[in-house]
Amino acid sequence: MAINFDPIFDGMQNGPEKIKGNFDKVNDGFSWGPQQKFLNLNGMTDNFDYYKIRNDGNEVLITLYVTGDGNGSCYLPTSISKRIGYSLSTQIVGRTDNNGIGFMNINTDTGKCTFHKPDGSGMYIQALVPLV
C-alpha cells in the first residue's frame, strides 16, 4: 500500500528536505539509545544501574553503583556482551566511596557481571566500552 504524502507537504516550502534534515540530526550515530536495565540483579540495589548503546552500535555506556559486600551480580544481554572485545572476560575499573579501586568483570560469553571491592563502601562504575 502506497501512501500519498503530497497533501501533507502541500504548501510547505522544502517540506521533505526539512524533515530529512531533522531526521539526519537525530540519526547521526553519535546519539545514544534509551537507558536499559541490567538483567537479573542479584545482591545489588536497583536504583542506579543502566546501560545505553550508541546509535551507530560502536559503544556501550555502562553506569552502575554497587553497594554491599560486592558479591552481587547482574547480566548484560549476550547480544551486547559477545561484542565486547575478543577475550572471554573484560575488566572495568570503578571507584569506591572510600577512594579505593574496585573492578567489574564481564564474562563476554554469558554476559554475567561480577564485582570486586576492597571494602564495604559503595562503588561507582561509569565506562564507555567499545563494541566490535
Side-chain angles (χ1 to χ4, degrees):
M1 177 172 109
I3 298 174
N4 183 4
F5 287 101
D6 291 338
I8 297 170
F9 299 123
D10 187 32
M12 182 187 296
Q13 186 176 1
N14 299 323
E17 292 80 9
K18 286 181 183 178
I19 290 172
K20 183 185 181 315
N22 287 335
F23 178 79
D24 288 345
K25 287 178 192 173
V26 172
N27 195 22
D28 63 3
F30 296 109
S31 300
W32 294 89
Q35 288 185 5
Q36 300 179 57
K37 290 289 203 175
F38 282 82
L39 307 173
N40 300 328
L41 292 176
N42 180 14
M44 293 176 52
T45 59
D46 188 21
N47 55 358
F48 191 60
D49 62 298
Y50 63 87
Y51 63 93
K52 293 181 180 182
I53 304 292
R54 200 165 85 168
N55 284 346
D56 65 2
N58 288 331
E59 290 180 305
V60 61
L61 169 66
I62 295 175
T63 304
L64 283 168
Y65 181 67
V66 181
T67 59
D69 60 7
N71 288 327
S73 64
C74 61
Y75 287 82
L76 278 169
T78 55
S79 61
I80 296 169
S81 68
K82 288 184 180 211
R83 293 183 56 209
I84 296 175
Y86 294 102
S87 64
L88 285 178
S89 180
T90 295
Q91 194 171 71
I92 297 173
V93 176
R95 182 189 60 82
T96 68
D97 290 335
N98 293 332
N99 292 322
I101 294 177
F103 302 95
M104 175 174 121
N105 296 305
I106 303 172
N107 181 317
T108 56
D109 194 40
T110 65
K112 185 174 185 176
C113 304
T114 55
F115 306 93
H116 170 72
K117 300 187 303 165
D119 55 45
S121 68
M123 179 173 66
Y124 297 94
I125 294 174
Q126 188 166 28
L128 282 175
V129 181
L131 299 174
V132 291

